[in-house]
Amino acid sequence: MSDSITKPRPTYKNVGVPQLLVYLRHMPAPGKLSILHRASGVILFLCLPLVILPLFAKSVGSEASYASIAEIAGNPLVKLVLLAIIWGYLHHFCAGIRFLLLDLHIGVEKVAARKSATTSLVISLILTVILGLKLFGAW
């Protein structure tokens, strides 16, 4: 076995967004789910002290403060932020259940793992759409 015949491994430095998008496009569903699980965790971690807790604290103070929060939440841009938080929570919850099952060695086979990843993605997106429709006043 000669080392002079082997090709050098590629090195990746300063990977930009276009390269990441190409890389993500070819990634299997469990890999995408794992990355989105981490991203949703970061969203929730950052939004809890910066958005969720201050809004909750202000909303339970009095009826007037609740009305002011309700008025702020009526803004379409605020609703988009709330929708992103809703997606983060739902995705993190659904993917977390999947990862707990994997920790129990349930569904670790390749086909089962792909099916559970796709199912988790689809369920979290369907729930996000349903709650998004409610948030934007569809009913």
Side-chain angles (χ1 to χ4, degrees), residues 12-78:
Y12 300 100
K13 297 179 182 178
N14 298 327
V15 177
V17 173
Q19 292 89 4
L20 284 176
L21 293 176
V22 169
Y23 178 71
L24 287 174
R25 191 174 356 153
H26 299 291
M27 187 178 283
K32 291 176 185 175
L33 183 86
S34 179
I35 290 172
L36 289 174
H37 183 71
R38 292 172 190 213
S40 64
V42 168
I43 288 171
L44 293 174
F45 178 77
L46 294 176
C47 286
L48 187 65
L50 299 176
V51 178
I52 298 169
L53 289 178
L55 287 178
F56 178 73
K58 188 173 181 183
S59 71
V60 296
S62 67
E63 288 183 33
S65 62
Y66 176 80
S68 69
I69 293 296
E71 183 180 338
I72 291 170
N75 185 333
L77 291 176
V78 174

